[in-house]
Amino acid sequence: METRKFIDKPDQSCLLIALSVVLASLVSFSDAEDHYHEFVIQAQPVKRLCRTHKIITVNGQFPGPTLEVRDGDSLIIKTTNAAQYNITLHWHGVRQIANPWADGPEYITQCPIQPGGTYTYRFTIRNQVGTLWWHAHSQWLRATVYGALIIYPKVGLPYPFLTPSQEIPILLGEWWDRDPMAVLQQAQFTGAAPNVSNAFTINGQPGDFYRCSSQETTVFSVESGEAVLLRIINAALNQELFFAVANHKLTVVGVDAAYTKPFTTNIIMIGPGQTTDVLLTADQSPSRYYMAASAYESAQNAAFDNTTTTAVLEYSSETCSARRQSSQVLLPQLPAFNDTTTATAFTAGLRSPSKVSIPNKIDEYLFFTVGLGLINCLLPSPNCQGPNGTRFAASMNNVSFVFPTALSIMQAYYQGVPGIFSADFPPVPPILFNYTGNVNRGLWQPVKGTKVYKLKYGSMVQLVLQDTSIVSTENHPMHLHGYQFAVVGMGFGNFNAARDTPNFNLVDPPVRNTIGTPAGGWVAIRFVADNPGVWLMHCHIDSHLVWGLAMCFLVENGQGDQQTVIPPPSDLPQC
Ligand SMILES: [Cu+2]
């Protein structure tokens, strides 16, 4: 992948400068562009770790194409499935106001695009700026089907920070020396945890610390003294990651396509689904420095990929001499895999740049437990190779989510088809217990179901996500489709409304689409239900997602335009 400079469109914008003083919003609107893309889902042989695998890609590229747009622009992406699997694409973090048909999670808002089929995703970016991404939302195909989605401000609007001279997307990924779909199939057969990955990657490359990889290590060239914006995306399937650049401080200026108060740190922790924009100034002696990522693994006794991926930040004056001499490259010190203190300090340090409009008259107080579980087996079976002859599961409020297969939930709701889902997802756990204590084994087995929670249009929602110690406590990066929410509080242990609510940050909390529920703790978010449709909320660790760590909100229509779900496009795939 190349590094990218700004889009420049100077001629047209110069013409419009005079007008823009008077008609700023109209000018921005008239300047909006339509971006047409053709995405062909196809298998492509790719060699990593000395071996070639036929992986599923978009247009044969790995990582997939970077999409660059401005706020207000529209994307029209004709997707053709030339691979052997059903697939859908999700535009992670795009709000898709009243347009769930373009969101993409299979069997939630659409049926998958079948082999040989096509579907055109059409959507407009409204009032969002920063780094998002896109990925497959079927089975485990997003292991290799992903790319960056960069949203620049409207013409004439600067960044609220030092203008970088270079912008670099950093896609952190995870590589199996096997077909990831076979890894998933094996886990689904045995009921045991899936095999962990063999490498992490930066822009598709594992880097110098893996076999047969150092020739292709990603290298980013910088000029001495320049400021670079790193748009970091955790596209890994199952692993939260620490990331650092040797000798360089990172100033966080945005997360999940929302600006943040500048926050300087040596280390970031980024969960699957999250993005973090950081400014880096090339103010060190001209040399070569590693950027590196390794696991943050909060679950106890869990297997994980304990390797380190690297790319090289190379001062341009070093380019020739350093490569020839293969001089020493400085490696950053990354935290221990279980360093929850560092992970928490980073996440809790994020703030919005100024006061955020946050719901304070709450209509819906929701409390969802999130965590793992075990399904008991009556007899020993090859399908029950989880702990003590069980199958792994995961749940929210004890409901282990089951994806429909006959029709998507959104279509079933829109067309009034019964029997696909039920609207009885519980607002609180069916049984109250000491969530983070020593949980009785009788409470470890969840109930399977396809349940949604209905919200009236415009209702003010507070949702507390509470981790449990069932099987193990663990940080779960929870992603809500169709929304950005304010993260008003977090803590360890059990949430206590009387004690914890007064400490909520209702002034400048960060606004995100994915937030980690602290291991053995809770996180509180607030949002206004101002986007009608069916919206999946799930753990972005895909091994947990397939075990059922998900639910859906069904937000009813309000009155009029942008409050009513638009009719489905005529090419919406059939199940
Ligand atoms: Cu999880």
Side-chain angles (χ1 to χ4, degrees):
M1 169 174 290
E2 300 164 27
T3 62
R4 277 150 224 278
K5 306 276 180 187
F6 283 103
I7 303 176
D8 36 11
K9 299 186 286 183
D11 299 340
Q12 204 184 357
S13 58
C14 282
L15 245 166
L16 295 173
I17 279 172
L19 266 174
S20 70
V21 177
V22 193
L23 298 168
S25 61
L26 187 62
V27 170
S28 305
F29 178 74
S30 62
D31 210 66
E33 290 184 4
D34 293 339
H35 301 260
Y36 291 84
H37 294 275
E38 297 226 355
F39 275 20
V40 179
I41 312 291
Q42 58 189 84
Q44 173 77 25
V46 168
K47 190 173 186 182
R48 295 288 184 277
L49 310 179
C50 324
R51 297 216 303 169
T52 300
H53 295 277
K54 263 198 158 185
I55 64 166
I56 305 301
T57 65
V58 165
N59 301 345
Q61 292 175 244
F62 176 67
T66 295
L67 301 174
E68 291 177 275
V69 302
R70 289 184 187 277
D71 183 17
D73 288 357
S74 295
L75 282 149
I76 302 98
I77 297 152
K78 184 183 177 193
T79 306
T80 302
N81 185 359
Q84 73 270 39
Y85 301 108
N86 284 351
I87 197 168
T88 64
L89 297 179
H90 168 55
W91 317 93
H92 184 112
V94 175
R95 290 215 52 200
Q96 309 286 14
I97 300 289
N99 184 19
W101 314 114
D103 191 42
E106 72 172 357
Y107 299 112
I108 305 300
T109 58
Q110 69 165 99
C111 299
I113 310 168
Q114 293 171 19
T118 66
Y119 178 48
T120 302
Y121 291 91
R122 297 168 188 272
F123 55 94
T124 300
I125 307 293
R126 296 182 200 279
N127 302 312
Q128 294 190 278
V129 179
T131 305
L132 293 176
W133 60 301
W134 56 267
H135 61 78
H137 216 299
S138 307
Q139 306 282 322
W140 270 19
L141 292 172
R142 81 169 180 84
T144 56
V145 179
Y146 61 84
L149 167 50
I150 294 169
I151 309 169
Y152 299 104
K154 289 182 177 176
V155 172
L157 282 183
Y159 293 134
F161 46 81
L162 175 77
T163 302
S165 52
Q166 192 184 171
E167 305 194 5
I168 305 176
I170 307 273
L171 291 121
L172 306 175
E174 214 169 346
W175 181 266
W176 276 261
D177 193 22
R178 272 180 76 187
D179 174 0
M181 289 290 273
V183 175
L184 173 63
Q185 278 164 12
Q186 183 191 0
Q188 288 182 323
F189 176 80
T190 63
N195 288 2
V196 300
S197 55
N198 301 94
F200 298 117
T201 55
I202 295 177
N203 293 354
Q205 290 295 342
D208 291 356
F209 300 155
Y210 297 91
R211 59 186 183 272
C212 307
S213 299
S214 53
Q215 292 301 311
E216 273 93 24
T217 296
T218 306
V219 177
F220 302 108
S221 228
V222 295
E223 305 281 339
S224 261
E226 78 172 340
V228 180
L229 183 66
L230 305 180
R231 297 177 177 274
I232 305 159
I233 298 163
N234 187 344
L237 205 61
N238 293 329
Q239 193 62 60
E240 292 162 310
L241 294 165
F242 289 116
F243 173 90
V245 182
N247 277 25
H248 290 76
K249 292 215 177 291
L250 308 172
T251 300
V252 181
V253 293
V255 293
D256 297 2
Y259 293 126
T260 60
K261 210 162 265 176
F263 166 48
T264 299
T265 179
N266 292 318
I267 303 277
I268 73 162
M269 192 285 282
I270 184 165
Q274 295 184 317
T275 73
T276 306
D277 289 358
V278 304
L279 279 173
L280 172 151
T281 304
D283 56 3
Q284 297 299 301
S285 57
S287 184
R288 307 174 83 213
Y289 301 90
Y290 277 126
M291 59 177 71
S294 65
Y296 167 50
E297 179 54 57
S298 57
Q300 294 95 52
N301 306 315
F304 69 98
D305 181 339
N306 200 11
T307 63
T308 301
T309 181
T310 53
V312 175
L313 187 76
E314 178 177 82
Y315 283 58
S316 52
S317 52
E318 275 295 297
T319 307
C320 304
S321 56
R323 278 212 182 129
R324 262 186 238 117
Q325 298 162 11
S326 71
S327 63
Q328 199 75 31
V329 188
L330 217 60
L331 188 69
Q333 179 144 23
L334 288 162
F337 73 88
N338 58 358
D339 189 346
T340 290
T341 306
T342 297
T344 307
F346 175 73
T347 305
L350 298 167
R351 295 279 182 278
S352 280
S354 54
K355 190 167 173 17
V356 178
S357 162
I358 300 160
N360 54 8
K361 289 178 77 178
I362 301 296
D363 302 303
E364 298 269 2
Y365 285 97
L366 304 176
F367 184 92
F368 297 171
T369 56
V370 298
L372 303 187
L374 297 175
I375 305 280
N376 300 319
C377 296
L378 293 174
L379 297 167
S381 151
N383 304 121
C384 300
Q385 298 184 43
N388 304 312
T390 61
R391 289 179 62 82
F392 268 111
S395 69
M396 298 176 72
N397 275 354
N398 205 45
V399 182
S400 184
F401 188 81
V402 178
F403 283 79
T405 53
L407 194 60
S408 76
I409 296 177
M410 186 62 219
Q411 286 167 289
Y413 168 58
Y414 198 84
Q415 300 165 12
V417 178
I420 303 296
F421 69 93
S422 58
D424 56 349
F425 187 86
V428 294
I431 295 174
L432 306 186
F433 59 96
N434 178 4
Y435 310 109
T436 53
N438 193 357
V439 181
N440 187 302
R441 278 301 293 255
L443 297 175
W444 282 33
Q445 179 164 268
V447 176
K448 289 184 182 180
T450 308
K451 297 177 186 295
V452 308
Y453 189 81
K454 264 192 188 175
L455 291 170
K456 289 248 177 298
Y457 183 88
S459 51
M460 311 277 194
V461 182
Q462 172 178 301
L463 168 58
V464 175
L465 296 161
Q466 172 73 59
D467 185 33
T468 76
S469 52
I470 294 172
V471 184
S472 170
T473 56
E474 183 164 2
N475 188 307
H476 297 281
M478 300 298 297
H479 172 49
L480 175 57
H481 288 229
Y483 283 87
Q484 286 176 294
F485 49 75
V487 183
V488 298
M490 60 177 68
F492 288 102
N494 298 337
F495 175 70
N496 177 323
R499 181 195 62 201
D500 297 322
T501 310
N503 298 324
F504 282 178
N505 176 2
L506 302 179
V507 180
D508 61 354
V511 173
R512 323 199 53 147
N513 63 53
T514 307
I515 185 65
T517 302
W522 55 271
V523 61
I525 66 173
R526 289 188 180 186
F527 61 95
V528 182
D530 60 359
N531 189 9
V534 173
W535 304 107
L536 184 64
M537 180 166 215
H538 65 96
C539 180
H540 220 280
I541 292 176
D542 275 21
S543 59
H544 297 173
L545 173 60
V546 297
W547 287 342
L549 216 167
M551 57 80 65
C552 293
F553 286 108
L554 191 167
V555 180
E556 295 174 331
N557 286 337
Q559 308 283 323
D561 199 27
Q562 298 205 14
Q563 299 190 12
T564 303
V565 170
I566 64 171
S570 57
D571 62 340
L572 191 69
Q574 307 273 316
C575 278

